[in-house]
Amino acid sequence: LLVPCQQGHQNPPVPQYKHDKLPHQGTWTGRLDFLLSCIGYCVGLGNVWRFPYRAYTNGGGAFLVPYFIMLAICGIPIFFMELSLGQFSSLGPLAVWKISPLFKGVGMGTILIVSLVAIYYNMIIAYVLFYLFASLTSDLPWQHCGNWWNTELCLDHHVIRAGNSSLPVNISNTVSPSEEYWSRYVLHIQGSSGIGDPGRIRWNLCLCLLLSWTIVYLCILKGVKSSGKVVYFTATFPYLILVMLLIRGVTLEGAWKGIQFYLTPQFDHLLSSKVWIEAALQIFYSLGVGFGGLLTFASYNTFHQNIYRDTFIVTLGNAITSILAGFAIFSVLGYMSQELGVPVNQVAKAGPGLAFVVYPQAMTMLPLSPFWSFMFFFMLLTLGLDSQFAFMETIVTAVTDEFPYYLRPKKASFSALICIALFLMGLILTTEGGMYWLVLLDDYSAGFGLMVVVITTCLVVTRVYGKRFCRDIQMMLGFKPGPYFRACWMVLSPATMMALLVYNIVKYQPSEYGNYQFPTWAEALGILMGVLSCLMIPMGMVVAVLQEEGTLWERVQQASRPAMGWGPALEENRSGAYVGSLAGSQSPKPLMVHMRKYGGITSYENTAIEVDREMEEEEEEESMI
């Protein structure tokens, strides 16, 4: 098997895949499928409930300075790197590590992280569905006190306004109806004493979770051929609703008060390292780098798709969407603060508290409140679904790429099994103590483990694979990345992410939900989730080294080189060092076909062939030895 093919000695016949049956899953069915899928994946719930809060707590308008600097240093370069890897190889997050099999554990860590995130992310979509259905009424159920789930501390805004006009009302020890509806009715958290006591399953939440998984499965049933069409709606409709909410918000009395609070620049904050770290974290998570979704989507592209242009469209579009969402949110919060007679910072929250407590309460103050509530939660639903599509496509694509002959013909059934398995694992989130588990997953599943995965990917591509990466991009796009991208990949991006990692470790704080402090065993479990994704990397190294022969150093060297077959998926796209290296090729025939088809070889390709021919000869000699 180690004897190289010579004249008259051909490889055994291997079936050749055509365009509709690549060694991958095919391509998008429309021109905008990929672009809209990336926009839908990146523009998610975090744009609505995380960016506005981070902006106003970190210098308001001044926060945009470190935000766009970190976008240029960290966001855009890593985004382009992931798209390039996926499009060049047409492989998912696991099989793409043919680029350097020694680091295949990075792909395994990615799949573990994405699986954990997919479990709790769909639970958030289930909460959104719950509120969406609850909005289909003439009177929102969280509008007034007096329901069975309300306590004596409940005080609605009508009473507060009446108190402001006559006698002062002490609201320091009161709770809004929307907060009690969320905690005592939707979550029924009073039935659990903590994370170790999950309590009973909330069957209404369980049904919403089942519905959300059913929607996700039906949309990914045929892979990108189905999800690529759904995103035409889920990626564009949120913008229509966001504009509607923005117009409605800025026309409210007191709206400018909230916007001023949101954007008033406080440049003294820029002297704090915390602000720069917060900006980098926001970029890191809002673009979804490291989760494998970008790489997966790009793997369905045609070989010469202009991902350079798409990178700037998606990343800048994501940033602009976050800023617009801030205007829409804080204009309503300004109106709410004026109605309640309290400062904006007392009504502004981040995360689920904004989506399921503060904003629903603000909706009750507007005319036609059920309509605006329905529109808001429908926007959250569409924002969440296309991100969930990406998570599921990443998992399914990665596994089917590893076992193509067994799983690709049964991809629909395999996708169903994955959805059922993740639904069953997410059932604990539907219990009375499920929010504690959701917080734990949110804090640890994609924390420092994700940063380690991204840092390793960046270092392997730039240091181990090296200059060949720029050559691959030139083969694909027709030009090499400029000094800006090379400087970021080599130095700036890894250094920034290392600083993020160190900061997260040094500033580590135990998880908490409200006043509830998580027990030590829960913290240990959370840390284990993060560590396990990191441990996949050395575990993958051990497996790769054991599969090679020779001394330990020789094995490491062999395992770090690109595997046979690495390169473009189609023979017609292979040039330079990749000609004739695809399984089933009969060298040098593919090279002659390439020359006849394209009228010869460019000087660049000719140089690449000569350089790589020497490298291949050395590798063949070492492998034969």
Side-chain angles (χ1 to χ4, degrees):
L1 293 176
L2 295 177
V3 178
C5 293
Q6 298 175 354
Q7 190 173 4
H9 186 188
Q10 299 179 351
N11 285 331
V14 177
Q16 292 295 297
Y17 291 86
K18 299 302 179 185
H19 192 69
D20 60 336
K21 292 183 179 179
L22 294 175
H24 191 47
Q25 305 87 322
T27 56
W28 300 99
T29 56
R31 289 185 177 182
L32 291 177
D33 292 15
F34 167 71
L35 187 61
L36 290 177
S37 294
C38 286
I39 291 174
Y41 168 60
C42 296
V43 179
L45 299 173
N47 296 74
V48 174
W49 72 32
R50 186 172 288 120
F51 175 83
Y53 184 84
R54 274 190 170 162
Y56 102 82
T57 55
N58 290 285
F63 179 72
L64 297 179
V65 175
Y67 179 77
F68 279 102
I69 290 177
M70 289 301 173
L71 177 65
I73 291 177
C74 218
I76 294 174
I78 302 301
F79 194 97
F80 183 50
M81 173 184 285
E82 288 201 19
L83 293 188
S84 300
L85 284 173
Q87 181 168 303
F88 181 78
S89 63
S90 295
L91 297 172
L94 272 178
V96 76
W97 287 100
K98 285 182 179 179
I99 192 173
S100 184
L102 184 66
F103 297 94
K104 191 172 184 177
V106 176
M108 296 163 60
T110 299
I111 300 306
L112 176 61
I113 291 170
V114 173
S115 300
L116 292 173
V117 171
I119 293 173
Y120 81 82
Y121 201 86
N122 226 24
M123 189 65 228
I124 297 176
I125 296 176
Y127 292 142
V128 172
L129 284 171
F130 190 98
Y131 272 81
L132 191 70
F133 295 139
S135 300
L136 299 174
T137 178
S138 59
D139 192 18
L140 293 175
W142 57 85
Q143 187 166 355
H144 302 289
C145 300
N147 302 288
W148 65 262
W149 58 83
N150 293 126
T151 65
E152 296 178 353
L153 299 177
C154 182
L155 183 65
D156 64 47
H157 68 278
H158 300 292
V159 177
I160 295 174
R161 282 192 293 179
N164 288 339
S165 60
S166 56
L167 296 175
V169 178
N170 183 13
I171 63 171
S172 59
N173 295 321
T174 60
V175 182
S176 67
S178 62
E179 187 169 348
E180 288 200 335
Y181 179 82
W182 164 243
S183 62
R184 295 182 59 81
Y185 179 71
V186 178
L187 301 179
H188 203 264
I189 203 165
Q190 67 270 21
S192 169
S193 60
I195 191 171
D197 175 32
R200 295 172 299 177
I201 288 180
R202 298 281 292 157
W203 290 107
N204 45 11
L205 287 180
C206 184
L207 291 175
C208 287
L209 181 62
L210 179 61
L211 176 60
S212 64
W213 275 114
T214 303
I215 294 172
V216 170
Y217 172 69
L218 292 177
C219 292
I220 67 166
L221 179 61
K222 296 182 179 179
V224 294
K225 294 185 182 299
S226 55
S227 65
K229 296 305 178 186
V230 176
V231 294
Y232 277 82
F233 176 76
T234 57
T236 57
F237 195 70
Y239 285 96
L240 176 62
I241 303 179
L242 187 62
V243 171
M244 291 174 61
L245 292 172
L246 177 60
I247 294 174
R248 184 68 185 100
V250 296
T251 57
L252 293 171
E253 186 179 358
W256 178 247
K257 183 180 178 181
I259 294 174
Q260 187 178 19
F261 192 83
Y262 165 53
L263 282 183
T264 299
Q266 303 169 34
F267 291 103
D268 58 304
H269 282 64
L270 299 182
L271 300 177
S272 170
S273 60
K274 176 180 177 293
V275 175
W276 294 84
I277 295 294
E278 290 284 335
L281 285 173
Q282 179 63 27
I283 289 295
F284 191 82
Y285 289 109
S286 66
L287 291 179
V289 294
F291 288 96
L294 298 172
L295 193 148
T296 301
F297 283 157
S299 69
Y300 293 100
N301 282 345
T302 54
F303 188 69
H304 298 292
Q305 168 82 13
N306 190 352
I307 51 174
Y308 182 80
R309 173 201 61 200
D310 295 341
T311 294
F312 287 97
I313 291 176
V314 176
T315 53
L316 295 178
N318 178 69
I320 294 171
T321 303
S322 298
I323 296 171
L324 283 178
F327 280 104
I329 295 297
F330 271 87
S331 61
V332 175
L333 295 186
Y335 166 74
M336 183 178 174
S337 71
Q338 179 160 311
E339 288 289 293
L340 297 177
V342 297
V344 179
N345 61 354
Q346 291 189 21
V347 295
K349 291 183 180 180
L354 172 68
F356 301 117
V357 176
V358 178
Y359 215 80
Q361 183 185 359
M363 293 297 100
T364 64
M365 303 178 185
L366 301 177
L368 300 175
S369 55
F371 169 76
W372 292 110
S373 177
F374 180 86
M375 297 302 287
F376 174 72
F377 285 109
F378 194 76
M379 179 184 72
L380 292 186
L381 177 64
T382 52
L383 285 174
L385 279 177
D386 37 25
S387 296
Q388 186 70 8
F389 296 159
F391 296 147
M392 295 308 299
E393 284 289 354
T394 299
I395 298 170
V396 173
T397 297
V399 181
T400 52
D401 275 357
E402 288 298 295
F403 308 99
Y405 297 105
Y406 300 102
L407 294 181
R408 281 189 194 142
K410 304 175 182 177
K411 190 173 182 180
S413 301
F414 178 67
S415 299
L417 288 176
I418 294 293
C419 289
I420 292 172
L422 296 182
F423 165 72
L424 294 176
M425 286 188 278
L427 282 178
I428 193 169
L429 303 179
T430 65
T431 60
E432 294 168 323
M435 179 50 66
Y436 300 124
W437 286 97
L438 190 145
V439 170
L440 193 71
L441 282 168
D442 186 34
D443 286 349
Y444 291 102
S445 61
F448 58 89
L450 181 65
M451 292 185 188
V452 170
V453 164
V454 178
I455 292 170
T456 306
T457 301
C458 193
L459 293 177
V460 170
V461 171
T462 57
R463 307 289 179 175
V464 179
Y465 191 60
K467 296 180 179 179
R468 288 172 288 189
F469 184 57
C470 291
R471 185 200 66 194
D472 292 345
I473 293 177
Q474 183 177 23
M475 183 192 305
M476 187 168 56
L477 302 181
F479 60 88
K480 282 186 178 181
Y484 157 65
F485 280 103
R486 295 200 298 271
C488 288
W489 289 336
M490 294 291 290
V491 180
L492 297 178
S493 296
T496 302
M497 290 184 290
M498 284 295 294
L500 285 177
L501 181 61
V502 172
Y503 177 84
N504 276 358
I505 295 174
V506 172
K507 297 291 185 178
Y508 168 77
Q509 291 181 343
S511 295
E512 58 182 22
Y513 180 71
N515 296 324
Y516 177 77
Q517 300 290 332
F518 283 75
T520 304
W521 67 266
E523 289 294 323
L525 181 62
I527 294 173
L528 181 62
M529 280 192 292
V531 170
L532 191 58
S533 58
C534 299
L535 290 178
M536 291 293 177
I537 300 175
M539 288 170 58
M541 287 181 172
V542 171
V543 173
V545 168
L546 290 177
Q547 291 176 341
E548 301 294 339
E549 296 181 355
T551 64
L552 178 60
W553 179 240
E554 290 173 344
R555 292 185 179 200
V556 171
Q557 285 183 309
Q558 292 166 13
S560 64
R561 296 191 182 108
M564 191 66 175
W566 164 254
L570 290 176
E571 189 81 61
E572 63 197 52
N573 293 323
R574 290 183 167 241
S575 60
Y578 300 104
V579 173
S581 61
L582 192 63
S585 298
Q586 300 176 12
S587 183
K589 182 180 177 181
L591 177 59
M592 298 299 104
V593 172
H594 180 88
M595 292 177 67
R596 288 197 301 269
K597 186 173 181 180
Y598 296 100
I601 302 178
T602 65
S603 58
Y604 161 74
E605 289 172 328
N606 191 42
T607 303
I609 290 175
E610 294 299 327
V611 172
D612 288 316
R613 184 178 293 138
E614 296 177 2
M615 296 174 60
E616 287 177 350
E617 288 175 356
E618 293 176 0
E619 290 174 2
E620 286 180 1
E621 291 176 0
E622 292 175 359
S623 63
M624 292 178 66
I625 293 173

